[in-house]
Amino acid sequence: ARSKTCAKTRHGSRHDAGTGAKDRLMPLLLEIVTPERLAFSDTVDAVVVPGIEGELGILPHHAPLLSTLGLGELRIRRGAAEESFAIVGGFVQVRPDKVVVMAETADMSSEIDLERALEARREAERALETGYREGADLASARAALQQALLRIRVAERRPREGPRHRL
């Protein structure tokens, strides 16, 4: 009987501490930076980043962490609006009220030139077909192909999801 009483008391004290819906919906400040520019800086409700071992969803009041980013799609949600970035490598620093993404490259889906991305894919595929023999050349061609495929996937996702609201 004692454990039930303690559980109720703990639950009640958390409820009374002011962790209501308003606090849970506190927006996060998100900054996406690359070596060349500040790609994004605004408040968001949630962000999903491509970690090296899978996606990492971040909401307000997330536990602090530092993680390595892989190649993938970063998704931002604010209200009903959603925006995506093609992210290549880097780090993410998470604090309860702020997320900083430091990426090698970060391309907003609405800014990706689909034709250029398709041409980059064709060039990377041709480079792989010509039979590079040196390890560095092969790795470079594979990385270029992965980046082109990511940019194509992020850019093509826009029309399938319907009209987006600009953040």
Side-chain angles (χ1 to χ4, degrees), residues 57-129:
I58 303 164
L59 297 171
H61 303 289
H62 195 287
L65 70 88
L66 183 63
S67 183
T68 306
L69 296 174
L71 178 134
E73 181 179 7
L74 179 146
R75 295 185 311 277
I76 299 166
R77 184 178 51 82
R78 186 169 62 188
E82 186 175 305
E83 186 61 73
S84 296
F85 283 80
I87 297 289
V88 177
F91 299 92
V92 61
Q93 176 191 31
V94 178
R95 297 190 308 217
D97 63 340
K98 185 177 182 180
V99 176
V100 179
V101 173
M102 297 159 276
E104 292 175 32
T105 65
D107 300 306
M108 186 180 287
S109 62
S110 59
E111 297 172 350
I112 294 173
D113 181 344
L114 184 56
E115 287 305 314
R116 273 186 42 195
L118 289 167
E119 180 57 31
R121 180 185 74 185
R122 287 189 290 269
E123 287 177 19
E125 288 171 341
R126 277 193 300 268
L128 287 171
E129 289 171 2

Side-chain angles (χ1 to χ4, degrees), residues 1-100:
R2 183 177 175 174
S3 63
K4 288 182 182 178
T5 305
C6 290
K8 287 180 183 176
T9 304
R10 279 191 215 124
H11 181 348
S13 66
R14 277 197 307 253
H15 186 338
D16 296 339
T19 57
K22 183 179 178 185
D23 292 333
R24 284 192 306 272
L25 297 177
M26 175 189 81
L28 286 166
L29 174 59
L30 172 64
E31 293 179 349
I32 302 173
V33 296
T34 69
E36 292 83 28
R37 66 188 176 111
L38 175 63
F40 183 88
S41 181
D42 207 345
T43 56
V44 300
D45 293 329
V47 61
V48 177
V49 299
I52 58 169
E53 295 185 15
E55 292 186 327
L56 174 64
I58 303 164
L59 297 171
H61 303 289
H62 195 287
L65 70 88
L66 183 63
S67 183
T68 306
L69 296 174
L71 178 134
E73 181 179 7
L74 179 146
R75 295 185 311 277
I76 299 166
R77 184 178 51 82
R78 186 169 62 188
E82 186 175 305
E83 186 61 73
S84 296
F85 283 80
I87 297 289
V88 177
F91 299 92
V92 61
Q93 176 191 31
V94 178
R95 297 190 308 217
D97 63 340
K98 185 177 182 180
V99 176
V100 179

